[in-house]
Amino acid sequence: MSLRFAPLSLLLLFSLSLLVVAAEPETVKLPPKEKFQLFLLVGQSNMAGRGKVEAQDKEANPRVLTLNKKGEWTPAVDPIHFDKPGIAGVGLGRTFGLEIAKTDPEITIGLIPCAVGGTSIERWVPGAYDPATKTHPYDDMLPRAKQALEAGTLCGILWHQGEGDANPARSKAYEKNLTELVERLRKELDAPEVPFIIGQLGQFPGREWNENTHAVDDAQRHYTETHPHAAFVSSDDLKDKGDSVHFDAASYRELGRRYAKAYLEMLPQK
């Protein structure tokens, strides 16, 4: 009887092996270093993305890649962040990458997702620990960024954060902490003139801004107005996903387009 069913058993084993192979991340051939433009994505949950993933967010583009949790370059399909598995969703990064890729058919975009939901800016310093995610946001980001730089060229740093500092205890120190963070990143990554782009906090019904939210917003605006190679991106008219905290998927995509527009406007005119 065992001989009679042997072919079926072999067929099942063969099918399972195909499933295992299919589950492996798609390997990609990287372009020359000068054609591989890298962008570091840092901040808290609105950089990581919490939008509902749809079919369009799963469409791979061979010229828009992401550095996954294992440190492998794979096609950028949402969610690209992994700070909170099962919660991370559509963010602004993938759309940003697609928009930049459109501008030059010879370049490939590499996204380096490092945002951690719920983190105040005080978690983005060397040695700081985030108990909620059991991570060290800055210390985990740095080796990932340096690994990526072995393959490509850092062209921009995208920052969306501030909800965690919109309170009396932290808002007054926000600009000082932001200035120190940018200086540290520029030094650590040898990026003195790389664009640093800040996205505005969400303006959502049900979560009206108070004096602390305005203080963070003012600090972010003031930083970009008084420092070179920095830009501020508006969140005007964007919508939340119903929680008064996170953008919805369509708004994340629009935010990605706004970041891309800001970045392209900072480049020297050809």
Side-chain angles (χ1 to χ4, degrees):
M1 184 174 293
S2 60
L3 289 175
R4 180 181 175 184
F5 289 101
L8 179 58
S9 300
L10 289 173
L11 181 60
L12 289 172
L13 287 172
F14 179 70
S15 299
L16 288 172
S17 68
L18 288 178
L19 289 173
V20 171
V21 171
E24 290 298 315
E26 183 180 342
T27 57
V28 295
K29 182 178 180 181
L30 298 182
K33 190 172 185 177
E34 66 275 10
K35 296 291 186 181
F36 195 20
Q37 298 190 0
L38 306 180
F39 295 88
L40 181 63
L41 313 182
V42 278
Q44 56 183 117
S45 58
N46 270 323
M47 175 57 76
R50 299 294 188 252
K52 182 179 179 181
V53 178
E54 300 175 9
Q56 63 179 301
D57 308 305
K58 289 294 190 180
E59 296 175 3
N61 184 312
R63 293 197 298 115
V64 182
L65 309 179
T66 186
L67 190 69
N68 68 15
K69 186 175 183 179
K70 296 180 181 179
E72 304 162 330
W73 288 109
T74 63
V77 295
D78 281 317
I80 63 171
H81 272 86
F82 43 82
D83 59 316
K84 294 185 177 181
I87 298 177
V90 172
L92 64 92
R94 178 177 175 276
T95 299
F96 171 87
L98 292 170
E99 291 295 307
I100 303 303
K102 289 178 184 177
T103 66
D104 186 345
E106 296 186 359
I107 63 172
T108 296
I109 305 303
L111 305 173
I112 314 167
C114 295
V116 180
T119 50
S120 70
I121 200 169
E122 294 174 351
R123 298 283 190 238
W124 288 91
V125 298
Y129 177 69
D130 180 50
T133 56
K134 297 181 172 60
T135 63
H136 295 79
Y138 187 87
D139 294 340
D140 294 340
M141 171 276 299
L142 195 58
R144 281 176 54 77
K146 290 185 175 181
Q147 177 196 343
L149 286 171
E150 295 175 2
T153 302
L154 185 63
C155 292
I157 302 172
L158 312 187
W159 175 256
H160 199 291
Q161 189 276 341
E163 295 92 345
D165 293 86
N167 58 62
R170 298 194 183 107
S171 61
K172 294 180 177 61
Y174 191 85
E175 187 166 359
K176 173 180 178 292
N177 289 333
L178 177 64
T179 302
E180 292 176 353
L181 169 66
V182 180
E183 290 177 351
R184 190 182 308 115
L185 286 171
R186 293 196 182 286
K187 181 179 179 181
E188 294 272 19
L189 301 176
D190 190 21
E193 298 182 356
V194 165
F196 187 90
I197 305 176
I198 301 173
Q200 187 178 30
L201 302 181
Q203 305 172 64
F204 305 136
R207 192 177 180 126
E208 301 302 323
W209 283 18
N210 57 31
E211 61 179 332
N212 300 303
T213 318
H214 282 288
V216 171
D217 184 70
D218 290 343
Q220 293 178 337
R221 289 175 182 271
H222 188 255
Y223 178 85
T224 61
E225 291 167 356
T226 56
H227 289 78
H229 317 298
F232 182 81
V233 174
S234 169
S235 66
D236 288 353
D237 303 319
L238 299 183
K239 299 178 180 179
D240 69 293
K241 61 182 283 187
D243 62 1
S244 299
V245 177
H246 302 105
F247 299 96
D248 64 14
S251 294
Y252 277 121
R253 298 184 197 107
E254 173 58 23
L255 196 57
R257 286 187 284 269
R258 294 182 185 183
Y259 268 78
K261 183 175 184 291
Y263 171 75
L264 294 171
E265 289 176 348
M266 297 173 75
L267 299 182
Q269 297 297 316
K270 294 183 180 180

